[in-house]
Amino acid sequence: MRLIRYGNKGADVELTQLALERAGYDVGGVDGKFGMKTLKAVMRFQAAQGLSADGIVGEKTRAKLEPYIMGYTTHKVVRGDTFFRLAQKYGSTVELIAAANPSVAANNIQIGEILIIPFDYDIVPTDVTYTSALNSYMVRGLAARYPFIRVDSIGKSVMEQNIPALTIGRGTKRVAYNASHHANEWITTPVLLKFVEEYAKSYIGFGSIGGLDARELYDASSLTVIPMVNVDGVDLVNGAIDTSDMYYVNAKRIAAAYPDIPFPSGWKANIAGTDLNLNYPAGWENAREIKYAQGYISPAPRDFVGTSPLSAPEASAMYKFTLEAGFRLTLSYHSQGKVIYWKYLNIEPSSSYETALAFGDVSGYSVEETPMQSGYAGYKDWFILQFDLPGYTIEVGKGTNPLPLSQFDEIYRDNVGILALGMKLAPSKTAETMSAEISDGFNAD
């Protein structure tokens, strides 16, 4: 990440301001503008941390701010430490510390042990611009605070960034939710991250999520969330790629051929100009014919289907990960329209329509068939075609992408029921399916 200093603007500044506010330093509001209040807050923070108070956020300052973004710090146990005293010292709670350190007995902590100490606030921000860096911080923070969450990388992006996934639950019904296939639909990323955080909190607190018992969901299902598929594209839209970077320069060149699409806010594709949700092997040739007729015959900010199915590394990673995982239901989050799309062509997996109607009931969204012009080569389309299992595209919010974060609270309220219900209504494995998987396992040996 670049140096951040007085006069800068953008997502990096928002992230700095967020950390400072959480650390107790007034920046006058998280607005992405590095003004005098932010400068003074940075300098006070640096002095308190024993750093040179130059007001410039470089590597050392950023390292000191990171715990406040991720929502936890570490502590080496000394004589006299107890969970209660540590909670008082760090602004935490005994319950959070116990959850973050499940192998440590509260009445028998050992001198020299390194403990995770969560701060007593929710870590997933819903009022700041998202980037791949913030996504990564959230993934790391959630996994540290709630160690029953497993973190994986499903693959790499064009720019060689990891595409992270989180998995929570121990049940046999595996489900998967993804967001931000399209770069300027990044508001869907905090929707999934906030759900994971609320679900984990409800689990340790014996509570409910979306009206359903969190412990029952945890025991019956295993949820995998890929919160940001298009990591490079989101960074492009939100100004997290330096304008001198070759990927940015190439993207701007691509966009220049499409002057009617605003740059970078109108960018949906990956950083190389392939629309990821038109790059899956489900009627890809049909999608190519439609989009070529619309003039998208080469890399573009949107609607270019790629040179072949799975030519984009992000789509290829999702494809391979899904093939290996054995998911029974998938949700793909997009914006906008308040619509649930539920089938591919005439393929209607068992109970998929009934489940879609249930989603509509808890969200108020309409249940519709995908328009023909957009009805091919999406992740949902391929999942249904490949597995004959329920797959859905959820279009959140209303307006022009990227949707403003002022819509987030309404979007989350609309969708928390869908996200919880998806785990409950996912089809269980049949005896035949389980037998086939066991057989495949023996054959592999």
Side-chain angles (χ1 to χ4, degrees):
M1 295 172 70
R2 60 185 176 134
L3 293 176
I4 305 170
R5 63 184 78 210
Y6 181 78
N8 287 162
K9 298 178 181 180
D12 287 348
V13 176
E14 283 187 60
L15 198 55
T16 298
Q17 292 173 324
L18 174 69
L20 288 166
E21 287 275 6
R22 288 177 170 181
Y25 296 84
D26 180 19
V27 299
V30 179
D31 60 4
K33 300 174 183 177
F34 200 132
M36 187 56 65
K37 271 201 166 184
T38 300
L39 175 64
K40 290 179 178 179
V42 170
M43 293 175 71
R44 290 197 302 272
F45 177 81
Q46 289 172 324
Q49 296 292 325
L51 301 173
S52 175
D54 59 7
I56 299 172
V57 181
E59 184 178 346
K60 291 181 180 179
T61 302
R62 187 174 295 112
K64 294 290 187 179
L65 287 169
E66 282 180 345
Y68 298 99
I69 301 171
M70 294 187 290
Y72 76 94
T73 189
T74 58
H75 174 86
K76 188 174 183 179
V77 175
V78 298
R79 188 178 302 277
D81 280 343
T82 65
F83 279 8
F84 179 76
R85 289 176 179 173
L86 292 174
Q88 288 186 312
K89 177 178 180 179
Y90 288 103
S92 185
T93 69
V94 171
E95 292 76 17
L96 283 172
I97 296 173
N101 302 276
S103 63
V104 178
N107 59 355
N108 191 33
I109 57 177
Q110 302 297 309
I111 294 174
E113 278 187 290
I114 304 297
L115 300 180
I116 300 293
I117 310 293
F119 300 132
D120 190 18
Y121 54 75
D122 291 348
I123 68 165
V124 176
T126 61
D127 57 355
V128 301
T129 304
Y130 269 71
T131 63
S132 62
L134 179 52
N135 183 56
S136 179
Y137 281 135
M138 292 303 98
V139 169
R140 290 162 57 192
L142 289 169
R145 289 165 63 103
Y146 306 105
F148 47 86
I149 296 176
R150 189 180 78 244
V151 174
D152 300 292
S153 172
I154 71 164
K156 300 278 190 179
S157 69
V158 172
M159 294 178 65
E160 291 293 312
Q161 295 197 80
N162 284 320
I163 304 170
L166 307 96
T167 298
I168 177 173
R170 60 186 171 209
T172 57
K173 287 198 298 186
R174 296 208 64 191
V175 298
Y177 304 159
N178 67 78
S180 293
H181 260 87
H182 287 147
N184 64 354
E185 299 173 12
W186 59 265
I187 197 171
T188 57
T189 290
V191 171
L192 294 193
L193 288 170
K194 175 54 69 176
F195 179 77
V196 171
E197 180 169 34
E198 293 294 326
Y199 182 20
K201 285 173 56 184
S202 297
Y203 173 74
I204 66 171
F206 294 87
S208 63
I209 181 79
L212 299 175
D213 186 276
R215 292 242 157 186
E216 290 182 4
L217 290 175
Y218 188 94
D219 290 338
S221 63
S222 174
L223 169 64
T224 295
V225 167
I226 304 98
M228 188 181 288
V229 177
N230 191 356
V231 287
D232 303 340
V234 171
D235 281 350
L236 175 68
V237 168
N238 288 333
I241 300 178
D242 193 281
T243 56
S244 64
D245 188 285
M246 67 174 184
Y247 289 106
Y248 181 93
V249 172
N250 185 57
K252 193 170 184 179
R253 177 190 61 78
I254 290 170
Y258 298 88
D260 292 337
I261 301 175
F263 179 81
S265 64
W267 192 277
K268 294 174 65 177
N270 74 353
I271 196 69
T274 294
D275 191 316
L276 298 181
N277 211 43
L278 291 169
N279 196 231
Y280 292 93
W284 179 85
E285 293 78 8
N286 302 80
R288 179 178 59 182
E289 181 179 352
I290 292 168
K291 298 305 178 183
Y292 272 38
Q294 295 173 353
Y296 299 100
I297 62 174
S298 62
R302 54 178 294 165
D303 292 332
F304 176 58
V305 300
T307 55
S308 62
L310 307 177
S311 59
E314 299 90 347
S316 178
M318 284 289 293
Y319 171 87
K320 293 174 182 176
F321 184 68
T322 304
L323 281 179
E324 296 170 358
F327 298 127
R328 306 295 296 169
L329 178 148
T330 64
L331 302 180
S332 298
Y333 267 80
H334 291 259
S335 62
Q336 47 78 38
K338 296 189 175 183
V339 178
I340 300 166
Y341 295 122
W342 66 280
K343 72 174 186 175
Y344 172 61
L345 300 180
N346 292 319
I347 304 173
E348 301 182 19
S350 176
S351 76
S352 60
Y353 182 57
E354 292 77 11
T355 297
L357 291 177
F359 289 162
D361 286 343
V362 297
S363 64
Y365 285 12
S366 60
V367 176
E368 300 179 12
E369 296 183 16
T370 311
M372 187 60 67
Q373 294 296 305
S374 305
Y376 299 100
Y379 176 83
K380 177 264 293 179
D381 308 322
W382 166 72
F383 182 81
I384 294 172
L385 177 66
Q386 178 73 33
F387 300 104
D388 193 25
L389 288 167
Y392 304 90
T393 294
I394 316 291
E395 298 277 0
V396 306
K398 286 272 192 177
T400 301
N401 291 323
L403 297 179
L405 280 167
S406 58
Q407 289 196 28
F408 179 86
D409 288 345
E410 178 186 343
I411 288 171
Y412 187 76
R413 284 195 304 269
D414 289 346
N415 282 274
V416 65
I418 294 177
L419 293 163
L421 203 55
M423 290 183 278
K424 180 178 180 179
L425 297 183
S428 298
K429 291 185 179 181
T430 64
E432 291 79 4
T433 299
M434 295 175 68
S435 177
E437 290 182 354
I438 293 169
S439 176
D440 288 343
F442 283 134
N443 291 337
D445 290 341

